[in-house]
Amino acid sequence: MSETLVKPDIATQTINQLRLLANQMITKAGSGHPGIALGAAPMLYELYANQLVIDPAQPEALNRDRFVLSAGHGAALLYATLHAAGFALSAADLAAFRQPHSKTPGHPEVGVTPGVDATTGPLGQGLGMAVGMAMAEAKLHAQFPTVIDHFTYALVGDGDLMEGISHEVATLAGQQALAKLIVLYDDNQVSLDGQRARADTADNVARFASYGWDVRRITDGNDLAAIHDAIENAKLSPEPTLIAVRTTIGDSGPYAGTHQAHGTPLTPAQLNALADNLGTTLTTNFSLDEPLVTHMRNKIMQRLAQQTKPSAAELQAYLEFAQCQSPQIPTLNATAQQQAARTVGKITLQTVAQTWPQLWGGAADLASSTQTTITDSSLFAPNNRAGRNIGFGVREFGMGAVMNGIGLHGGTKVFGSTFLAFSDYMKAAIRLSALQHVPVIYVFTHDSVTVGEDGPTHQPVEQLMGLRLIPGVNVLRPGTAEEVAAAWHQALLSTDTPTVLVLSRGSLGVQGTPAQAHQAMIAGAAQIVVAPAAVVNLIATGSEVQLALAVSQQLPRPSRVISMPDLQRFLSLDQSKKAAIIPKDQAKNVIIEAGTTLGWQAVAGDDGLIFGLDHFGMSAAPQTVLEDVGLVVDVLTEKITQYLGS
């Protein structure tokens, strides 16, 4: 008796074509990650066909559901799915996978590919950004329930959950009871080097349950009904949900279930064999069968049509709240002007928070030290979404990733703070802030060896220059009280660039006005604080500006003092603008900064002098440490006098 071949249902047909199309892209590119494309396709199909409330024609719509592919190496599958869903990705775009300047780069990049909500690839950070998006949604929904009301989804893999950041952000999400966060876990038990068990035997489901998540297991990653039901139930949960879906990496391919499936592109012959295994046809033009595309797009549009729309008045109220304001540069009273930079920053924060209602943020359990509490508000919590202070906990890296998610979501402006030495913990998140052009604000205090008795573990040396080396980050180390106010103002007005505010424990003096400082920072990255005709320019940042002023008063020959809070911007200026800040009047340049000297040569010049330190500090009182490294008035005065000669 002959067998009767049963044609797969339309969902299975679509999934199999997505699997094949993604692998066709990878094979043509000669690089990529076939395993996740074959194993996770049912989850991507379920999200886009049956769950996500999105409009492919308006990929940045305010109230769309967000999806973050934290396992960013699955980019080919995401692009194939976005194409099937109707986003502006053509077959030609798919064919250009991993090629220069295409819409389909090797890992998803926000702003490059329509429908991509976050730049992912560095594992674990996508989960953190999804947590941030869910926090932003929770806050905005409480105030504008008819305008912002959506879910945030993420797909993570074993690698994401091995990264320590997964612990940081998952505990925060559980503590915040982010009920509209749903995370699908591609639980294939394989990582790049081999079986997951060779390096990690943790029970991730139990782990997330301990964080306060609703957790679910699905034993068959091809069971669409089970995936669908799990997501539908997750939508009803009062907690964030992790759905662990047991999949087979490289499903139906030649390396199924092995680590070779992770990053080994299929040969043309293997690609043809995969098509046979999947019961579908390989095409040469990177296309999908039209009935399958129509099927998926119709489902999306039907769901979109059921979405409740806010009234014009409700939408206008939200837009007025979310728009960037143009606050006045805060005016500082005489008392404020003599405070430490972090204290001036606190005073400035209170002032701008009054006129910038969408500003919120917090610290990595250091708010009392960084002085970044909005004093007339409360703590953001499950029962108080109006709170503007975020208790990030001792989770520096997680804080940075969550901030990026909040910034990507839009509608609010967020800041986060810690000690400058601990910026190392969050460097990867700051880098993604720059890559994604997210205008978040990092506030780093305790910015030099003057941290004192806590010792070299807490005293930054190389961090400041390291942050300046990241492309696309505004690093500002104000040297006067007025510059602190101007720096905060500049950070608030930024729309596409993250800002790092580096604030000292040492007191700052009064030079000029906030408006003058602001104009100096915008126009030339620096200001001449004391400007006589001079034989030497004393160029400093932060609290070392006060040191430079004191040295200037002791030098036997006339000197000019220049505060340079934005070294990167100064270096980017043309020669005429640089000369307006550091006049070409034969004066020699002396740099004073309590950090590494590397990087200052471009300002000092070949015959300049640089005072800093290229070694770690010591545990001692601040003044003792400064004396030990030679950053005190008498030592500098003597050395500069010798340098200038007769």
Side-chain angles (χ1 to χ4, degrees):
M1 185 173 66
S2 63
E3 294 183 1
T4 302
L5 295 178
V6 179
K7 187 176 182 179
D9 60 56
I10 196 165
T12 302
Q13 293 178 57
T14 306
I15 290 167
N16 287 340
Q17 285 208 0
L18 290 174
R19 284 169 159 155
L20 187 62
L21 179 56
N23 270 271
Q24 187 179 8
M25 294 161 58
I26 294 165
T27 297
K28 181 178 183 297
S31 67
H33 300 82
I36 187 173
L38 292 169
M43 287 183 278
L44 265 288
Y45 170 82
E46 171 61 27
L47 284 176
Y48 281 85
N50 297 319
Q51 300 295 340
L52 291 174
V53 179
I54 52 173
D55 184 353
Q58 299 183 63
E60 297 182 2
L62 287 176
N63 198 31
R64 69 188 186 279
D65 283 342
R66 268 62 167 182
F67 171 65
V68 179
L69 182 67
S70 191
H73 54 282
L77 174 62
L78 176 60
Y79 299 149
T81 307
L82 290 172
H83 169 71
F87 287 84
L89 276 181
S90 66
D93 292 323
L94 301 186
F97 177 55
R98 292 193 163 215
Q99 302 310 301
H101 311 298
S102 75
K103 288 184 179 181
T104 50
H107 288 82
E109 296 182 36
V110 67
V112 173
T113 310
V116 169
D117 287 324
T119 296
T120 54
L123 292 175
Q125 288 200 61
L127 176 59
M129 288 186 281
V131 171
M133 292 175 184
M135 286 176 63
E137 192 279 339
K139 181 166 188 60
L140 290 168
H141 176 69
Q143 188 170 355
F144 305 99
T146 62
V147 180
I148 303 297
D149 183 11
H150 66 80
F151 285 90
T152 299
Y153 298 87
L155 176 66
V156 304
D158 287 309
D160 289 289
L161 300 190
M162 286 188 211
E163 290 285 359
I165 189 176
S166 72
H167 162 81
E168 295 183 27
V169 299
T171 52
L172 180 61
Q175 186 264 342
Q176 287 291 345
L178 300 175
K180 292 182 183 176
L181 175 62
I182 300 174
V183 176
L184 295 165
Y185 166 30
D186 181 23
D187 181 16
N188 59 41
Q189 297 293 300
V190 174
S191 61
L192 190 151
D193 278 345
Q195 295 296 308
R196 179 170 81 95
R198 73 192 295 273
D200 179 22
T201 56
D203 183 341
N204 284 315
V205 171
R207 180 161 74 100
F208 273 69
S210 75
Y211 299 154
W213 287 55
D214 184 4
V215 294
R216 302 169 187 274
R217 292 185 190 269
I218 295 174
T219 58
D220 179 3
N222 289 309
D223 188 341
L224 280 177
I227 296 172
H228 177 83
D229 290 345
I231 295 175
E232 289 296 322
N233 287 326
K235 291 178 179 179
L236 305 176
S237 175
E239 303 166 334
T241 300
L242 179 78
I243 304 171
V245 183
R246 180 57 58 88
T247 62
T248 300
I249 189 171
D251 195 349
S252 303
Y255 307 111
T258 71
H259 70 282
Q260 288 93 337
H262 175 80
T264 308
L266 304 187
T267 66
Q270 290 172 331
L271 197 61
N272 281 306
L274 176 64
D276 291 341
N277 289 344
L278 295 174
T280 189
T281 303
L282 184 67
T283 65
T284 58
N285 62 352
F286 294 85
S287 65
L288 295 166
D289 289 348
E290 192 60 36
L292 305 185
V293 171
T294 300
H295 153 75
M296 180 176 277
R297 295 179 184 179
N298 284 344
K299 289 171 74 69
I300 290 171
M301 297 314 294
Q302 289 169 7
R303 200 160 52 251
L304 186 65
Q306 298 171 1
Q307 188 180 33
T308 302
K309 300 294 191 297
S311 68
E314 291 168 331
L315 181 59
Q316 183 61 31
Y318 170 82
L319 293 175
E320 289 176 359
F321 170 86
Q323 283 174 347
C324 287
Q325 310 296 310
S326 295
Q328 296 297 312
I329 306 171
T331 300
L332 303 173
N333 60 37
T335 300
Q337 291 170 331
Q338 300 294 335
Q339 301 294 314
R342 59 174 175 158
T343 305
V344 178
K346 173 186 177 181
I347 296 168
T348 304
L349 173 61
Q350 310 317 313
T351 302
V352 298
Q354 293 174 10
T355 57
W356 198 283
Q358 72 272 51
L359 180 66
W360 61 322
D365 205 47
L366 286 171
S368 59
S369 294
T370 60
Q371 299 192 21
T372 48
T373 298
I374 298 176
T375 55
D376 66 351
S377 189
S378 51
L379 194 66
F380 176 77
N383 61 352
N384 183 31
R385 297 308 193 193
R388 299 171 68 183
N389 295 299
I390 303 172
F392 284 110
V394 188
R395 305 181 180 106
E396 291 90 354
F397 190 8
M399 176 173 69
V402 167
M403 287 167 59
N404 284 335
I406 292 172
L408 287 168
H409 183 280
T412 63
K413 188 86 167 181
V414 68
F415 64 86
S417 67
T418 187
F419 293 172
L420 178 59
F422 303 152
S423 65
D424 286 340
Y425 281 122
M426 58 199 308
K427 196 77 158 286
I430 299 171
R431 189 171 188 270
L432 272 191
S433 299
L435 269 168
Q436 299 177 100
H437 300 280
V438 186
V440 296
I441 302 171
Y442 295 96
V443 182
F444 296 139
T445 66
H446 297 64
D447 66 348
S448 78
V449 290
T450 56
V451 168
E453 290 88 349
D454 277 338
T457 59
H458 287 53
Q459 295 167 359
V461 174
E462 77 283 8
Q463 284 81 3
L464 177 56
M465 196 59 75
L467 290 166
R468 288 169 174 155
L469 290 174
I470 304 174
V473 179
N474 288 336
V475 180
L476 306 177
R477 189 177 186 232
T480 71
E482 292 76 15
E483 285 181 349
V484 173
W488 256 107
H489 185 257
Q490 187 171 325
L492 287 168
L493 293 181
S494 176
T495 58
D496 63 356
T497 306
T499 302
V500 170
L501 303 180
V502 182
L503 305 179
S504 69
R505 292 178 72 190
S507 296
L508 303 179
V510 184
Q511 287 82 34
T513 67
Q516 289 172 339
H518 174 69
Q519 288 303 315
M521 291 173 68
I522 293 296
Q527 65 170 329
I528 299 173
V529 179
V530 175
V535 298
V536 61
N537 298 311
L538 304 179
I539 303 165
T541 72
S543 52
E544 286 83 81
V545 171
Q546 302 306 306
L547 179 57
L549 287 165
V551 170
S552 176
Q553 294 171 1
Q554 297 297 318
L555 287 174
R557 305 184 68 184
S559 58
R560 180 184 294 116
V561 177
I562 299 171
S563 175
M564 189 172 287
D566 192 344
L567 173 61
Q568 300 146 294
R569 187 175 299 222
F570 175 81
L571 293 176
S572 71
L573 299 175
D574 61 36
Q575 290 302 318
S576 63
K577 291 181 179 179
K578 287 180 180 177
I581 298 167
I582 305 178
K584 290 189 174 182
D585 53 7
Q586 306 307 310
K588 294 182 178 181
N589 295 326
V590 172
I591 310 298
I592 305 173
E593 184 173 75
T596 181
T597 61
L598 183 66
W600 276 109
Q601 289 81 0
V603 177
D606 293 339
D607 61 346
L609 193 61
I610 305 173
F611 292 102
L613 63 153
D614 294 309
H615 56 81
F616 296 119
M618 62 187 291
S619 180
Q623 188 61 28
T624 302
V625 179
L626 290 175
E627 290 171 358
D628 184 74
V629 300
L631 291 176
V632 289
V633 174
D634 56 347
V635 174
L636 293 177
T637 301
E638 180 181 356
K639 289 184 177 180
I640 295 170
T641 300
Q642 292 173 354
Y643 163 69
L644 294 174
S646 58

